[in-house]
Amino acid sequence: AQSVTQLGSHVSVSEGALVLLRCNYSSSVPPYLFWYVQYPNQGLQLLLKYTTGATLVKGINGFEAEFKKSETSFHLTKPSAHMSDAAEYFCAVSDRVQGAQKLVFGQGTRLTINP
Amino acid sequence: KAGVTQTPRYLIKTRGQQVTLSCSPISGHRSVSWYQQTPGQGLQFLFEYFSETQRNKGNFPGRFSGRQFSNSRSEMNVSTLELGDSALYLCASRGSSGELFFGEGSRLTVL
């Protein structure tokens, strides 16, 4: 079964600094990988996804992630943090079972931006 | 294109009662999934429906059930509510690449 580990339940960076949120996955098949963001009292919003092809994936709000098969990683980065990036971020891997599908989520990383 | 719509957004119930939550997926999406989110357990998969059939089920007791209608709208029901059922219940419909598009959730508080 697939699993996801997000390193660091809380990450704090200064405004304008690099954002790096770490995600490692375990999968017995080529994975589909996703990053979601959740703002308070809201649902999850898709930031970006990797399915096949280019391993560097660009998403919304200036975020990007790189799929590294050898490291089983899918870290999320943003060159310059903005106050509006403060939220909780979830990495997820797709788990396919007999045509059905579910996402297996990591425990989440809460990102705080310091002014 | 309208997103995933969940109703109600907030509700309060007492132990032993039952609750029904509703979800309307993005137009044209036929797969609907439900997830439970709690501070302690994080995001946990409840079940997935496709064309009115349950295709996958998570590790939850039988008190949790769901169904899907011919127009792809889905409902989930929790019977005999327990305090531990307090959570944000998220519905999602599936896009062509397997990504899930989530609604804003129904926040259930059990007293």
Side-chain angles (χ1 to χ4, degrees), chain A:
Chain A
Q2 276 80 343
S3 66
V4 174
T5 301
Q6 290 184 239
L7 299 176
S9 58
H10 290 87
V11 170
S12 181
V13 302
S14 299
E15 190 174 18
L18 171 71
V19 174
L20 171 60
L21 304 183
R22 299 177 187 273
C23 171
N24 288 90
Y25 69 91
S26 168
S27 177
S28 57
V29 298
Y32 284 16
L33 296 159
F34 308 86
W35 275 100
Y36 286 85
V37 60
Q38 186 177 34
Y39 298 100
N41 298 315
Q42 293 188 22
L44 276 69
Q45 180 183 7
L46 180 66
L47 274 177
L48 50 77
K49 64 184 180 187
Y50 168 80
T51 54
T52 59
T55 56
L56 182 61
V57 180
K58 294 186 184 299
I60 62 172
N61 302 338
F63 285 94
E64 62 183 35
E66 186 171 11
F67 170 60
K68 292 188 176 180
K69 183 178 179 181
S70 61
E71 299 177 8
T72 60
S73 69
F74 191 57
H75 301 331
L76 181 71
T77 60
K78 181 174 180 177
S80 177
H82 192 272
M83 296 299 291
S84 61
D85 295 327
E88 188 147 22
Y89 292 80
F90 294 91
C91 181
V93 63
S94 175
D95 187 356
R96 296 170 180 261
V97 177
Q98 296 179 342
Q101 183 173 4
K102 68 177 183 181
L103 291 190
V104 176
F105 287 89
Q107 285 297 308
T109 297
R110 185 169 300 278
L111 176 63
T112 302
I113 311 297
N114 302 312

Side-chain angles (χ1 to χ4, degrees), chain B:
Chain B
K1 207 177 211 183
V4 177
T5 304
Q6 292 188 245
T7 57
R9 288 290 315 279
Y10 301 91
L11 64 166
I12 300 173
K13 295 286 187 178
T14 57
R15 280 179 297 175
Q17 288 187 310
Q18 74 162 12
V19 66
T20 299
L21 309 177
S22 179
C23 172
S24 293
I26 292 170
S27 178
H29 287 188
R30 295 166 62 189
S31 167
V32 173
S33 301
W34 289 89
Y35 288 78
Q36 181 197 64
Q37 185 178 27
T38 59
Q41 299 298 317
L43 283 151
Q44 293 188 289
F45 173 76
L46 280 158
F47 24 67
E48 181 198 13
Y49 286 87
F50 182 85
S51 293
E52 303 179 64
T53 301
Q54 187 183 88
R55 295 207 300 187
N56 200 0
K57 190 176 190 304
N59 188 25
F60 279 82
R63 300 185 297 106
F64 291 81
S65 63
R67 59 178 175 168
Q68 186 180 33
F69 302 94
S70 59
N71 62 357
S72 294
R73 189 178 70 86
S74 177
E75 290 181 347
M76 67 162 283
N77 183 276
V78 187
S79 62
T80 319
L81 284 165
E82 300 176 359
L83 295 179
D85 298 333
S86 294
L88 180 66
Y89 290 89
L90 292 163
C91 169
S93 66
R94 180 145 60 99
S96 58
S97 298
E99 70 273 41
L100 296 184
F101 296 94
F102 286 85
E104 295 200 321
S106 293
R107 184 166 296 281
L108 170 65
T109 301
V110 182
L111 302 177

